[in-house]
Amino acid sequence: RLTRSKDFARLFRRSSRCADRFFTVLGKENDSNIPRLGLAVSKRVATKAVARNRLKRLAREAFRCQNGLPDWDFVVIARPAAEAEGNNILKKSLEKHFQRLMQKADDKRNGQS
């Protein structure tokens, strides 16, 4: 897990980004040997704690279901449209984000842009 503000700040400064109307996902290489996840779901996005917790739970589940994630740090930032959407659509959105970022990680590893 990402918990320190220093780790979040590093990702917000320079990272690979992927976004749609539900989420923005940031990713960047880390020094540890495992992929780590950070979550940012503000009260502006979902006013009720139940809704914020649902979005965070979905993001954690989508992260765990990914096979072969690179040793990167990821931050999932929820957007207001996510609160009203169904779980299946949100899971598919997150899976697409992680797949795109894994492709970017492979491209960097292979010397491409």
Side-chain angles (χ1 to χ4, degrees):
R1 266 183 17 176
L2 290 177
T3 54
R4 298 185 330 211
S5 62
K6 183 174 93 173
D7 294 332
F8 277 89
R10 185 176 63 84
L11 276 162
F12 284 119
R13 261 185 273 124
R14 272 196 185 151
S15 60
S16 297
R17 293 174 182 258
C18 188
D20 65 7
R21 63 191 190 115
F22 304 121
F23 298 101
T24 298
V25 181
L26 312 174
K28 187 174 182 175
E29 292 180 65
N30 67 24
D31 297 332
S32 66
N33 294 330
I34 57 170
R36 301 185 302 173
L37 177 68
L39 300 167
V41 183
S42 70
K43 284 185 181 179
R44 187 183 275 170
V45 169
T47 55
K48 300 208 181 266
V50 171
R52 289 193 303 276
N53 290 337
R54 177 180 75 97
L55 294 173
K56 290 188 274 189
R57 192 170 44 253
L58 283 168
R60 282 192 296 270
E61 183 179 338
F63 179 75
R64 280 189 213 112
C65 290
Q66 297 302 310
N67 293 324
L69 278 174
D71 296 339
W72 277 30
D73 290 337
F74 297 94
V75 172
V76 174
I77 304 167
R79 291 185 162 184
E83 181 183 15
E85 200 54 63
N87 290 354
N88 289 334
I89 293 173
L90 294 176
K91 280 183 194 177
K92 287 178 186 176
S93 170
L94 286 165
E95 288 170 4
K96 286 180 188 177
H97 288 306
F98 286 122
Q99 293 298 321
R100 286 184 197 141
L101 289 172
M102 284 192 325
Q103 183 62 44
K104 287 183 182 184
D106 288 341
D107 290 347
K108 284 186 179 184
R109 221 177 296 136
N110 296 329
Q112 297 173 354
S113 170

